[in-house]
């Protein structure tokens, strides 16, 4: 009896939660994206990009479900979340980035900026053709607090659209999926 009551209560809570989700129709914008609390423990770092010109190192992570579904020539799956966390490069007295034995730049420990793109079914509706990136949204986060930052994101859309419109609007993710292994 007690089990039935508990199950009924849980079912009620689940229905209430899904009703709340359905009451909020999609509107374009970064408010659709949140930084998953467990991303550092759960996501897979599949790429690291040295940017000597900007003296930063970019660590690029994807959620494991999307990682499993990456396939050559295929768009990324719905539910894909890609997080790019930048670190400052260690530099010498002249400000030139230091390199390790393998020639890679050496990061300072802290993240200085976090950018993210996420793809969900039905997203992207409402952006003009000069901006829309399929079903992707973009957001930027404060690296210390994880809070979404209120900054313009037009450049995210236009650059990813123009450079990677044929690669599902991604750079390292598409390249990783298409790299011969
Ligand atoms: C001028 C072009 C340009 C702009 C503007 C731009 N990006 Fe990117 N983005 C890139 C390139 C190139 C990469 C690959 C990593 C690198 O070389 O820095 C990338 C990689 C990424 C990635 C990792 C996914 C992948 O497939 O590599 C994310 C997430 C991302 N950008 C989000 C954003 C967000 C959010 C903004 C806006 C705040 C933004 N980008 C603005 C060019 C751009």
């Amino acid at each position: 009896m007690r089990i039935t009551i508990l199950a009924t209560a849980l079912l009620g809570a689940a229905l209430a939660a899904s009703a709340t989700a359905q009451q909020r129709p999609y509107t374009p914008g970064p408010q659709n994206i949140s930084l998953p609390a467990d991303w550092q423990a759960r996501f897979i770092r599949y790429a690291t990009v040295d940017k000597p010109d900007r003296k930063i190192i970019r660590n690029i992570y994807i959620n494991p479900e999307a990682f499993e579904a990456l396939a050559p020539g295929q768009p990324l799956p719905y539910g894909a979340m890609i997080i790019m966390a930048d670190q400052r490069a260690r530099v010498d007295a002249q400000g030139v980035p230091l390199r390790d034995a393998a020639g890679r730049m050496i990061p300072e420990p802290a993240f200085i900026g976090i950018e993210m793109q996420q793809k969900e079914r039905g997203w992207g509706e409402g952006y003009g053709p000069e901006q829309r990136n399929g079903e992707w949204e973009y957001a930027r986060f404060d690296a210390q607090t994880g809070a979404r930052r209120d900054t313009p994101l037009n450049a995210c859309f236009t650059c990813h659209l123009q450079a990677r419109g044929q690669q599902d609007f991604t750079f390292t993710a598409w390249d990783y999926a298409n790299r011969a292994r």
Side-chain angles (χ1 to χ4, degrees), residues 17-158:
S18 75
T20 315
Q22 279 164 15
Q23 275 161 15
R24 272 189 248 123
Y26 168 82
T27 52
Q31 75 283 354
N32 292 294
I33 302 187
S34 300
L35 193 60
D38 60 352
W39 73 271
Q40 292 197 53
R42 211 168 71 79
F43 280 37
I44 294 165
R45 185 174 69 168
Y46 68 91
T48 307
V49 182
D50 291 349
K51 293 267 162 184
D53 48 333
R54 294 175 61 187
K55 301 180 187 180
I56 60 168
I57 294 147
R58 320 197 89 165
N59 306 280
I60 311 181
Y61 304 77
I62 191 165
N63 52 326
E65 301 77 17
F67 184 77
E68 290 302 323
L70 288 179
Q74 296 301 312
L76 273 73
Y78 290 118
M81 300 181 203
I82 316 176
I83 294 175
M84 187 160 69
D86 295 345
Q87 289 168 296
R88 208 166 267 124
R90 285 180 58 194
V91 295
D92 67 15
Q94 280 71 46
V96 178
L98 295 165
R99 304 267 179 179
D100 67 13
R104 301 302 301 255
M105 287 174 19
I106 303 163
E108 298 285 3
F111 291 133
I112 54 168
I114 297 178
E115 297 182 351
M116 183 168 163
Q117 63 183 117
Q118 182 174 344
K119 178 182 181 177
E120 299 292 345
R121 192 185 295 275
W123 285 11
E125 201 69 51
Y127 291 105
E130 73 295 342
Q131 203 185 11
R132 183 170 180 173
N133 276 212
E135 291 165 288
W136 291 96
E137 286 280 11
Y138 293 82
R140 188 183 256 156
F141 297 92
D142 183 291
Q144 260 69 58
T145 66
R148 202 181 307 106
R149 291 180 54 202
D150 185 16
T151 62
L153 300 169
N154 293 345
C156 319
F157 286 89
T158 50

